[in-house]
Amino acid sequence: STEDGMEQEFNSLDAQRESGEAYIKSQLSEGWTCIETMYDDGGYSGGTVERPALQRLLADIEAGKIDCVVVYKVDRLSRSLLDFGRLMEVFDKHNVAFVSVTQAFNTATSMGRLILNVLLSFAQFEREMISERTRDKIAATRRKGKWCGGRPVLGYDLVASKLVVNEGEAAQVREIFALYLTHQGLLPVVEELNRRGWRTKRWVTKEGKVREGRPFDKGNLYHLLTNVTYAGQTRYKDEIHPGQHDAIIDEPTWRKVQSLLLRNGRGSGAARNGSGAILKGLIRCAACDSAMCPAHTSKGNKKYRYYTCLSAQKKGWD
């Protein structure tokens, strides 16, 4: 399931293929022959059946090209007991046997099916344990104040898995906080940032793909203003911990901005969307073709429903 080593001349997939071919040769007297098609899913996890080679294998089984599937180990086919059960149903439907080379059994016998389910249960248990260990590692990393992956934020560069202040971007971040304290509203700041041509963080992935920055709107501006990274902290769920990186925003400024955001009460849109608006998802803005978002206001016992342009809500009213 890892891409490490896939570029080697002889990797783990080659070793598994070689072992499978040797087993098939040992069954030559039974009339077994190995087909030339390769069904290798290098870099894909056994926890999912959405793998290109596995889907090709299933298509060939349905086409009647295969009588038996030979694997190195059971969990090479699937680590999910539920998925494996579904695969076995497909195999049984088309009278396809299943053999594991290193575990010496096949599904033609009831004992083989019993052993198979036991082994697969342990494979799924191992996968769940790996997931738990990964979550625990992320939690421990965040609690120590370290960066543990994800998209870098405006104002910082990622150097040797650590956040380092980018002075040019940091100046922009400080100016954004200052603008919010001046205007005390998200939309005026969005309009000013887009007038200046400022964008969110541009970065390059490990694979060399460029992720361009996007124009600011209310959503990503709010995310920037509430990101504890700028205060020199890290967040894990609802926990806030001191970070190992330098803060860009000083404590008094950070507290003022958070207090203003709380006072302005952003986030009531979800309640308004529950107004039972019958045209929701049907009408669009004539000026910009953006979706029209339902809202309502109340006066006395009456509720007045109306629709607003989603783009205008996020980027300002032209």
Side-chain angles (χ1 to χ4, degrees), residues 82-116:
L82 183 62
D83 288 340
F84 190 84
R86 291 170 180 163
L87 290 172
M88 285 296 100
E89 288 179 6
V90 175
F91 287 9
D92 290 341
K93 179 181 177 182
H94 296 279
N95 297 318
V96 173
F98 176 72
V99 174
S100 171
V101 174
T102 57
Q103 289 146 336
F105 66 87
N106 70 63
T107 58
T109 66
S110 58
M111 182 59 70
R113 285 191 291 272
L114 172 63
I115 296 172
L116 187 65

Side-chain angles (χ1 to χ4, degrees), residues 25-285:
K25 285 180 181 178
S26 72
Q27 303 296 314
L28 190 61
S29 61
E30 300 293 327
W32 290 31
T33 56
C34 182
I35 66 173
E36 296 299 323
T37 308
M38 308 285 279
Y39 300 101
D40 298 340
D41 276 318
Y44 288 87
S45 170
T48 176
V49 294
E50 298 302 321
R51 291 138 48 196
L54 179 58
Q55 293 302 316
R56 289 202 314 273
L57 173 66
L58 294 175
D60 287 349
I61 287 173
E62 292 182 358
K65 298 179 180 179
I66 293 172
D67 301 306
C68 179
V69 175
V70 178
V71 296
Y72 181 72
K73 287 175 65 178
V74 174
D75 59 7
R76 299 303 88 192
L77 183 67
S78 176
R79 285 192 171 192
S80 165
L81 192 58
L82 183 62
D83 288 340
F84 190 84
R86 291 170 180 163
L87 290 172
M88 285 296 100
E89 288 179 6
V90 175
F91 287 9
D92 290 341
K93 179 181 177 182
H94 296 279
N95 297 318
V96 173
F98 176 72
V99 174
S100 171
V101 174
T102 57
Q103 289 146 336
F105 66 87
N106 70 63
T107 58
T109 66
S110 58
M111 182 59 70
R113 285 191 291 272
L114 172 63
I115 296 172
L116 187 65
N117 285 329
V118 171
L119 289 173
L120 201 64
S121 295
F122 278 101
Q124 182 169 342
F125 171 73
E126 180 188 7
R127 180 165 166 257
E128 290 171 355
M129 289 295 292
I130 291 171
S131 297
E132 288 180 10
R133 286 196 296 270
T134 302
R135 284 195 298 269
D136 291 344
K137 179 183 177 182
I138 292 173
T141 301
R142 288 288 174 91
R143 286 170 179 147
K144 288 181 180 179
K146 295 181 179 180
W147 177 260
C148 62
R151 181 172 186 149
V153 294
L154 188 70
Y156 292 96
D157 291 329
L158 202 56
V159 179
S161 300
K162 293 183 178 180
L163 291 178
V164 177
V165 175
N166 179 317
E167 291 300 337
E169 293 179 358
Q172 286 188 344
V173 171
R174 295 187 188 100
E175 179 66 11
I176 290 171
F177 274 77
L179 283 170
Y180 184 76
L181 289 176
T182 300
H183 294 288
Q184 300 190 9
L186 294 173
L187 271 180
V189 179
V190 167
E191 292 171 350
E192 175 61 22
L193 295 179
N194 289 329
R195 186 186 66 79
R196 297 184 184 186
W198 290 8
R199 289 177 169 257
T200 59
K201 179 73 174 180
R202 178 188 183 276
W203 62 298
V204 181
T205 67
K206 289 182 179 179
E207 294 77 23
K209 296 179 180 178
V210 178
R211 298 284 186 255
E212 297 291 349
R214 295 178 296 171
F216 278 95
D217 57 36
K218 284 176 68 176
N220 53 37
L221 175 61
Y222 181 81
H223 182 72
L224 184 149
L225 292 172
T226 56
N227 194 332
V228 297
T229 303
Y230 295 120
Q233 300 170 329
T234 60
R235 183 192 300 275
Y236 177 69
K237 295 184 177 179
D238 295 330
E239 304 171 13
I240 304 295
H241 303 277
Q244 295 187 5
H245 59 279
D246 295 330
I248 290 178
I249 303 300
D250 59 78
E251 186 67 21
T253 302
W254 173 258
R255 290 188 178 277
K256 285 180 185 176
V257 169
Q258 303 316 304
S259 177
L260 270 175
L261 287 167
L262 190 62
R263 188 194 73 184
N264 289 342
R266 185 183 185 274
S268 59
R272 291 199 301 269
N273 286 351
S275 61
I278 61 174
L279 298 180
K280 180 181 179 182
L282 298 176
I283 57 175
R284 304 188 71 81
C285 175

